[in-house]
Amino acid sequence: MTTGGPKTDSRWPALIVLCAGMLMIVLDQTIVNVALPAIDEDLKFGQAGLAWVVNAYLIAYGGLLLLAGRLGDLVGHKRVFLIGLGVFTAASLLCGLSISSEMLVVARFVQGAGGALATSVTLGMVVTMFPKPDEQRRAIGVFSFVAAAGASIGLLLGGVLTDAMSWHWIFFVNIPIGIVAALAAVRLVPDSPGLGLREGADVLGALLIVAAVMLGVYTIVKGEHYGFGSVHTLALGAVAVALLVAFVLRQRHATKPLLPLRVFRSRNVTGANLVQISMVAGMFGLFFLGTLYMQLVLSYTPLQIGLAFMPVAVAIAVFSVSLSARLNTRFGERNMLILGLVLMLVGMVVFTQVPVDGSYVADILPAVAPVGIGMGLAFPSLMTLAMSGAAHDEAGLASGLVNTTAQVGGALGLAVLATTSTTYTSSLLASGVGRLEALTSGFHLAFWISAGLVAVALALAVFVLRQVAVSRDAQPVLVH
């Protein structure tokens, strides 16, 4: 245990507090999707404007994660976590009170900024609080459950709140949770001083990376509207890449870089983030388009869709919280990640076969069950590998990087798969194919692409990642 850290018996309550704050923010990313029709009816967004309820949050969240993680290393993880929790909670109140579309979009942008501050440092705090490998594996298992299962829980909770009350309550529910989590964090979460802003106060670098990621996410989420081969998309994408290159060059020569490039010397840190981009791209597309399949083809209600995905949350809970630590200790994180990705791939291939008149027990459950088990095995292993090569004073940076690659992968996967599915469906409709058959065929194509993305992640895990060898009391080291 680090000097000045919490007593051993207080760390697990602190972990619960961190995960409660994390869960609130993760839920928000999917709970809103279910309520979009009700929001549109009330605030009169229009089809084009309604997307900004999601996009405003994603752009702020994805754009600030990396910077927020580094700020945690510099000024203290707990301080950044509390600021983020406060901003997110206050913005949630503004979202719920919104009386116009403009007010809601601005509030969602601020909410995304608060979410980035809070979640960017959470994994780094978990790793710092639990330095011993056995305890760290259990703690990361709990964290991974929250991060991975929150999406499916959000679909269920969003359906319940929207049907039983109103869309305003999907935001109001955050307020008591945020207040209680903040008060508990002040008391239970250990405070560790940061390195100081002088160790990484690269203002120009901060502006470049925030602009690059925000513009990149914007380009991806709007690519579906303008077309990925359009001048608009290609021009903005080129600018985003140029900003990113300028940031990298700045970090190579800056005296106090915001992002020390040495973090990428770790094969596992770099490899795990590449695995995550591809894996999350496939998973986001699967959940989003799977939801549309159940809604548009099978005519499921929001509540039924949430219940349909509940086996995923249950499987993730059982494997990530109860079993992953023991399995990783016995067989190794890399091996369990590979097994998890294989199971996810199997579930996705099953999803490619869902028929127009599909039933839940015969067609959907056999797909979501292996996906849930695979996620429960893969996410804790991936988080451990992604953090294994990070130095103690760069834990926040590594944590922010993991969250950033997840957001970029999710946005990219969602945009590409939704565009592909929509384009193929439209071509089938134009050729005279029935609506339900065309929709299902479009979803099949997207599910095959999702499976391909997970297959890429599997190949990266096999050929790039190395196993982490640990003793019970030692810090993780890489096997060369």
Side-chain angles (χ1 to χ4, degrees):
M1 189 184 305
T2 57
T3 304
K7 294 180 179 178
T8 302
D9 58 2
S10 70
R11 293 177 301 163
W12 295 101
L15 175 65
I16 293 172
V17 172
L18 292 175
C19 287
M22 178 79 177
L23 180 62
M24 177 181 67
I25 295 166
V26 171
L27 286 175
D28 195 79
Q29 297 182 40
T30 52
I31 196 173
V32 173
N33 291 334
V34 179
L36 287 176
I39 293 173
D40 185 29
E41 183 179 352
D42 191 12
L43 299 183
K44 312 301 181 188
F45 268 91
Q47 185 173 358
L50 189 62
W52 280 102
V53 177
V54 176
N55 292 346
Y57 183 94
L58 284 178
I59 290 170
Y61 187 82
L64 292 172
L65 276 167
L66 191 60
L67 174 60
R70 185 55 176 162
L71 282 176
D73 291 331
L74 299 178
V75 304
H77 296 159
K78 180 177 179 178
R79 180 179 299 177
V80 170
F81 176 77
L82 289 173
I83 292 172
L85 211 57
V87 171
F88 184 89
T89 304
S92 296
L93 176 61
L94 292 177
C95 287
L97 294 174
S98 293
I99 57 175
S100 68
S101 58
E102 294 82 5
M103 181 178 176
L104 181 57
V105 169
V106 172
R108 285 285 287 165
F109 186 89
V110 177
Q111 196 183 33
L117 287 168
T119 59
S120 64
V121 295
T122 304
L123 181 57
M125 295 171 76
V126 171
V127 171
T128 302
M129 286 166 53
F130 297 92
K132 292 184 179 180
D134 287 348
E135 294 180 332
Q136 189 177 107
R137 282 170 169 148
R138 293 199 299 271
I140 288 180
V142 175
F143 171 86
S144 299
F145 162 68
V146 171
S152 53
I153 296 173
L155 291 172
L156 176 61
L157 187 58
V160 171
L161 290 174
T162 303
D163 288 345
M165 303 175 80
S166 73
W167 66 266
H168 301 274
W169 284 93
I170 67 173
F171 299 113
F172 287 149
V173 72
N174 292 332
I175 298 168
I177 300 174
I179 292 173
V180 172
L183 293 175
V186 170
R187 178 178 176 83
L188 293 173
V189 176
D191 193 8
S192 57
L195 299 172
L197 288 174
R198 288 178 297 180
E199 292 298 317
D202 180 11
V203 177
L204 177 58
L207 293 174
L208 287 171
I209 190 59
V210 170
V213 179
M214 280 192 175
L215 184 59
V217 173
Y218 171 81
T219 303
I220 291 169
V221 299
K222 296 301 288 184
E224 181 181 356
H225 175 72
Y226 290 101
F228 284 97
S230 67
V231 174
H232 178 276
T233 300
L234 293 177
L236 289 182
V239 174
V241 171
L243 289 169
L244 185 59
V245 171
F247 170 75
V248 173
L249 293 175
R250 169 69 180 177
Q251 299 313 290
R252 288 184 63 184
H253 301 292
T255 305
K256 299 292 184 181
L258 180 73
L259 173 58
L261 297 181
R262 63 178 177 273
V263 71
F264 294 107
R265 293 175 186 167
S266 167
R267 185 166 176 165
N268 274 12
V269 169
T270 302
N273 279 281
L274 291 174
V275 169
Q276 175 148 266
I277 289 176
S278 188
M279 180 181 76
V280 173
M283 293 310 303
F284 264 56
L286 177 71
F287 280 110
F288 179 74
L289 295 170
T291 297
L292 290 180
Y293 164 74
M294 285 183 258
Q295 180 184 15
L296 300 178
V297 178
L298 302 184
S299 300
Y300 280 21
T301 66
L303 182 58
Q304 287 175 318
I305 293 171
L307 290 171
F309 279 116
M310 277 308 293
V312 175
V314 172
I316 293 172
V318 170
F319 282 88
S320 64
V321 177
S322 302
L323 298 175
S324 66
R326 282 177 284 172
L327 291 172
N328 286 339
T329 299
R330 181 168 181 178
F331 299 107
E333 281 81 4
R334 176 179 173 273
N335 293 332
M336 299 315 299
L337 171 61
I338 290 171
L339 176 59
L341 288 169
V342 168
L343 289 172
M344 291 163 65
L345 184 58
V346 168
M348 288 180 170
V349 172
V350 174
F351 245 122
T352 65
Q353 306 302 308
V354 289
V356 172
D357 57 347
S359 71
Y360 181 74
V361 173
D363 300 299
I364 297 176
L365 185 59
V368 298
V371 167
I373 296 171
M375 291 175 69
L377 294 173
F379 271 97
S381 304
L382 187 60
M383 295 303 101
T384 301
L385 290 165
M387 299 297 290
S388 64
H392 177 80
D393 58 359
E394 294 172 352
L397 174 62
S399 175
L401 184 61
V402 169
N403 284 286
T404 301
T405 54
Q407 289 302 307
V408 170
L412 181 62
L414 197 56
V416 171
L417 292 171
T419 300
T420 304
S421 177
T422 301
T423 302
Y424 188 56
T425 297
S426 298
S427 68
L428 291 176
L429 289 171
S431 65
V433 177
R435 176 178 172 273
L436 294 182
E437 289 79 5
L439 282 169
T440 304
S441 296
F443 293 140
H444 284 171
L445 176 60
F447 292 152
W448 275 116
I449 296 173
S450 292
L453 288 167
V454 173
V456 171
L458 177 60
L460 288 169
V462 170
F463 295 110
V464 176
L465 295 178
R466 291 171 174 165
Q467 181 51 44
V468 179
V470 297
S471 66
R472 288 189 174 273
D473 298 316
Q475 289 284 20
V477 294
L478 297 182
V479 175
H480 295 278

